[in-house]
Amino acid sequence: MPQGFAQQKQEIKMTVRKSLCVILATSLLAPITAMASYPERPIELIIPFGQGGGNDLVGRAFSQSLAEYSEVDVLPVNRTGGSGAVGFHAASSARPNGYTLAMINSSLVGNPHMIDGFPASVDDFTPICLLSAEPVGIAVSASSNIETLEDWVSIAQENPDQLALGYTSIGELIALSAGNVTDTDPTLIPYSGSGDAITAVIGGHIDGAIVSDAEAYAQVQAEQLRMLTFFSEERSLSLPNIPTSAEAGYPLDIGLFRAIGAPANLPDDIENYLIDACTHIAQQDSFIERMNRIGFNVQLRTGDDFKQWLNRQNEAFSAAADLLEQ
């Protein structure tokens, strides 16, 4: 065999070996690269409630900011029905790969304790971040002679049938919890929406209503409503002059919130990425302005802090549901 041909054959073998090494190395690195590049395609944010409500507005504000941070499309999708059951079930049943997220709220910790067979609970989600917590309390008419929580408790204990307290949805559980810690039992009146309950209070049809700071803010500023207290650990950012029930000797932390969750068993690297995204977003003026524009303050909690806070909320609603069965 001519020497030149033998050398050429050897060079071809070396080239093939090098090519195989490159192909093998590339194939081995491919999964690692794919994981490291999350997110690389659009993310869906399931909103378990209809368009125009607080959950929808917060979800869309977050989607816009997450899209800017991640540089992929974030698609808010309303999946309504069953007091959140349809959307929560769809989100919790999705693959835990970071491409399906959900707006989680008080309904997720309240409804499983009120509705038999509710298809999802906090255990079905990886809590990512709290975006906003709305303290809830008792509002009365600004013209009422009831000026403090102590006044309300005194009247309710002396004349249990004299006070009527309005509520909406899971507000019943909050009303029961409030009655439990204050040893009062006012007549509870259900309403289809907080606006209807507030109108009834201002019109003198009921004595008070269970409402959040966001729901009552405009009427408080217009001096139509008076907030007696909020059942929360900390004072409201929107209405900081209103004392908490704990300050009056009645500790209770139960209210409304808007947060981001993902299906349970989310990989740690994706969870950490999303927590970093939430932390960045919550500090951006653009997101804070979007939230303020729709009537919400940004109150960020992430990681173990958020998980522990969420568990406390779940325990509070569970205890309230036990009262409902008594």
Side-chain angles (χ1 to χ4, degrees), residues 178-221:
N180 186 49
V181 298
T182 59
D183 193 25
T184 59
D185 187 22
T187 301
L188 300 182
I189 311 294
Y191 285 87
S192 59
S194 59
D196 293 335
I198 288 172
T199 298
V201 171
I202 294 173
H205 304 294
I206 55 177
D207 301 286
I210 296 291
V211 294
S212 71
D213 57 354
E215 292 166 337
Y217 181 81
Q219 286 79 13
V220 170
Q221 295 299 104

Side-chain angles (χ1 to χ4, degrees), residues 35-257:
M35 289 179 63
S37 63
Y38 172 85
E40 59 183 3
R41 57 186 172 85
I43 296 170
E44 180 179 85
L45 176 68
I46 294 178
I47 303 172
F49 300 92
Q51 294 185 7
N55 295 290
D56 180 64
L57 294 173
V58 172
R60 290 177 185 277
F62 178 79
S63 294
Q64 184 175 344
S65 293
L66 181 59
E68 294 167 357
Y69 177 87
S70 64
E71 298 184 346
V72 300
D73 291 335
V74 180
L75 311 174
V77 178
N78 299 89
R79 297 199 181 183
T80 63
S83 298
V86 172
F88 288 133
H89 178 65
S92 63
S93 302
R95 292 181 60 190
N97 57 10
Y99 290 103
T100 299
L101 305 178
M103 281 296 301
I104 59 176
N105 70 350
S106 311
S107 294
L108 184 64
V109 295
N111 286 341
H113 303 300
M114 297 178 66
I115 302 173
D116 289 338
F118 197 79
S121 72
V122 292
D123 295 332
D124 298 312
F125 288 89
T126 299
I128 301 299
C129 65
L130 176 72
L131 294 176
S132 179
E134 301 165 53
V136 172
I138 299 175
V140 300
S141 169
S143 61
S144 171
N145 62 352
I146 303 174
E147 297 186 355
T148 64
L149 177 61
E150 289 88 343
D151 291 341
W152 177 276
V153 171
S154 177
I155 295 172
Q157 289 180 344
E158 293 176 8
N159 301 286
D161 299 327
Q162 183 174 331
L163 295 180
L165 181 65
Y167 70 88
T168 64
S169 184
I170 58 173
E172 181 178 15
L173 296 184
I174 298 173
L176 289 170
S177 296
N180 186 49
V181 298
T182 59
D183 193 25
T184 59
D185 187 22
T187 301
L188 300 182
I189 311 294
Y191 285 87
S192 59
S194 59
D196 293 335
I198 288 172
T199 298
V201 171
I202 294 173
H205 304 294
I206 55 177
D207 301 286
I210 296 291
V211 294
S212 71
D213 57 354
E215 292 166 337
Y217 181 81
Q219 286 79 13
V220 170
Q221 295 299 104
E223 298 184 350
Q224 295 176 311
L225 283 183
R226 176 188 301 130
M227 289 300 309
L228 301 182
T229 191
F230 286 117
F231 302 110
S232 59
E233 293 178 339
E234 301 175 355
R235 288 197 176 197
S236 163
L237 295 178
S238 300
L239 299 169
N241 294 329
I242 309 303
T244 67
S245 60
E247 293 175 47
Y250 305 106
L252 180 62
D253 183 24
I254 187 170
L256 306 181
F257 66 88

Side-chain angles (χ1 to χ4, degrees), residues 275-291:
I275 287 175
D276 288 344
C278 286
T279 303
H280 173 84
I281 288 168
Q283 297 171 347
Q284 297 302 298
D285 290 341
S286 57
F287 180 70
I288 294 171
E289 289 169 4
R290 286 171 191 156
M291 292 286 282

Side-chain angles (χ1 to χ4, degrees), residues 253-276:
D253 183 24
I254 187 170
L256 306 181
F257 66 88
R258 327 280 172 170
I260 300 297
N265 301 315
L266 190 70
D268 290 344
D269 58 337
I270 297 177
E271 179 182 354
N272 291 335
Y273 176 92
L274 291 169
I275 287 175
D276 288 344

